[in-house]
Amino acid sequence: MSEHTVLSTTKLPVTIIGAGPVGLAAAAHLVARGESFVLFDAGNEVGANMLTWSHVRLFSPWEYNMDKTARQLLTSHGWMAPNNSDIPTGLEMVENYLKPLAESPEIKPFIHLNAKVTAVSRKGLNKVKTQGRDNLPFVLHALKNGERILVEAKAVIDATGTWTNPNPVISEGVWTAEEQSLSKQIFYGIPDVLGKHKDRYSGKKVLVVGSGHSAINTLLELGELKDQVQETEIVWVLRKSKLKDVYGGQEQDQLAARGELGTRIQKLVESGKVKVLTPFHIQELKKNGEKIQVVGFLDNEWVQIDAIDEIISNTGSRPDLSFLREVRVITDPALESTLELAPLIDPNVHSCGTVRPHGEKELRQPEKDFYIVGSKSYGRAPTFLMATGYEQIRSVVAALAGDHEAAKRVELELPETGVCSIQTSSCCESEKNENLAVKTDAGSSCCSPVTSPAASKSSLGDDH
């Protein structure tokens, strides 16, 4: 490798993929470090994924939803920060924070929208070749407005998130032809039940799948719709062995808006407006005329639910690794998370879904200067915090800038852990003493969350 090639590589920009909160925070940190960058996003505007749940109000206040360095950059241009204690909607997050950040003169010229990255590679080498690899630039292959473009970079930060890659309804996690054929009657995400999707669900028999806060928000809105249109039927299927595990800390929760969700969903269930089936494992979806038949096991007994008009799936999401086939990336075989994070976040081991401080060291990949950050770094684990993503970015950018001492520091500031909803374990108490913070969604079991990826939502925000 010639000296000229190495020198040229160091002058190349860092490429960020994803213009959500974590991706834009990366841009702000690179600006602060005097590093050049380009940012690609598949959407036609920043925060495009957040806008798909624009009607949903987060339950964490502004204080925990903004990156400090991004906030400093905005303030330098006369931006007026929202009140720290106010709780924004997804739309307010985009309009009052992400868009102003993206419009700042230090960032705006380097954002490319409608630009979907289709592959990442090393220049001139495929994944198999090793010699000289670390000194070669990355090449990003992208489609921008339908035109193929190539961009070279000295480092890559993948902040694409998982929101656009939902899990299937089938309990085994496998996509079936039957489920795909029913896509017009299945909504993956958080529909605007009382707004633009009202006609879709009014007077219908609606099946909600999932046990996280996305599902809770959906059910609460369907409950309000049923008050308006009595013919609306609501069926809720989830895999929890005990329904009370979903209710969380309620009035004892340190974040009032979060605790209120548990209280409200318990009241809705006890009102009889919702038919609850748990633990229910969906095995098959069948088309029956214009209706859907759902077949599965309820407490190990074969059960079928007939005459479903619509399904709303809140079963989480998974990372898209398909465009990373030519870079050396290792993920945990179970969680599909960054490998070093798996022991810290595995919900099979950590019943509280502990969010432990971590940074560049835990996020390193075999491919030098390539990082997966944000919710995508957690793979399928439901324990990601937006504030954790900001801390990841701070550490990664510091390392890329050569400030390894800053990269090693822990500067994560989070509210204290919420209370446990399962009292048979003392895990939360020990975590509280360690000043750790917790977030859970579908699949977590012990502690009420600090923030949630989708409904009364605040942590998922990495767009692609």
Side-chain angles (χ1 to χ4, degrees), residues 170-308:
I170 302 298
S171 294
E172 282 87 359
V174 176
W175 287 99
T176 63
E178 290 79 11
E179 180 170 348
Q180 291 172 322
S181 72
L182 293 166
S183 61
K184 291 183 179 180
Q185 291 171 272
I186 304 177
F187 192 104
Y188 299 92
I190 313 169
D192 188 359
V193 172
L194 299 175
K196 64 181 179 181
H197 298 126
K198 186 174 182 178
D199 290 344
R200 177 170 178 171
Y201 301 109
S202 292
K204 303 292 180 60
K205 186 175 182 179
V206 184
L207 180 78
V208 178
V209 186
S211 61
H213 289 79
S214 301
I216 290 175
N217 248 21
T218 298
L219 289 159
L220 291 173
E221 290 207 342
L222 285 169
E224 291 186 45
L225 180 62
K226 184 173 177 61
D227 289 338
Q228 300 173 24
V229 184
Q230 288 294 319
E231 293 79 11
T232 305
E233 293 183 59
I234 311 168
V235 182
W236 182 17
V237 300
L238 59 161
R239 288 178 283 184
K240 294 287 187 184
S241 58
K242 298 178 181 179
L243 189 57
K244 68 178 183 179
D245 295 351
V246 180
Y247 298 151
Q250 300 182 328
E251 68 276 359
Q252 294 177 292
D253 200 300
Q254 295 173 1
L255 290 177
R258 178 184 63 190
E260 184 184 359
L261 283 178
T263 300
R264 290 177 62 200
I265 192 62
Q266 183 176 2
K267 289 181 179 178
L268 180 64
V269 169
E270 291 175 352
S271 74
K273 295 177 182 177
V274 178
K275 180 179 180 180
V276 182
L277 299 174
T278 192
F280 192 96
H281 295 262
I282 297 176
Q283 300 295 302
E284 189 178 3
L285 302 180
K286 296 180 179 179
K287 183 78 170 176
N288 188 359
E290 297 299 315
K291 307 288 185 176
I292 302 172
Q293 183 184 76
V294 178
V295 181
F297 290 100
L298 176 64
D299 276 332
N300 296 317
E301 292 187 9
W302 191 259
V303 173
Q304 66 182 40
I305 310 169
D306 296 319
I308 297 294

Side-chain angles (χ1 to χ4, degrees), residues 50 53-62 64-65 86-94 217 255 257-258 261 386 450-460:
M50 270 192 163
W53 49 268
S54 60
H55 58 291
V56 179
R57 187 167 298 280
L58 289 70
F59 54 68
S60 56
W62 276 108
Y64 299 111
N65 298 324
D86 288 348
I87 301 176
T89 63
L91 178 62
E92 289 166 345
M93 271 287 292
V94 174
N217 248 21
L255 290 177
R258 178 184 63 190
L261 283 178
M386 191 183 294
V450 170
T451 52
S452 169
S456 253
K457 171 183 177 67
S458 90
S459 66
L460 184 74

Side-chain angles (χ1 to χ4, degrees), residues 352-353 355 381-385 437-441 444 448-453 459:
C352 283
V355 179
T383 46
F384 174 72
L385 283 161
V438 174
K439 189 237 35 156
T440 65
D441 198 71
S444 56
S448 57
V450 170
T451 52
S452 169
S459 66

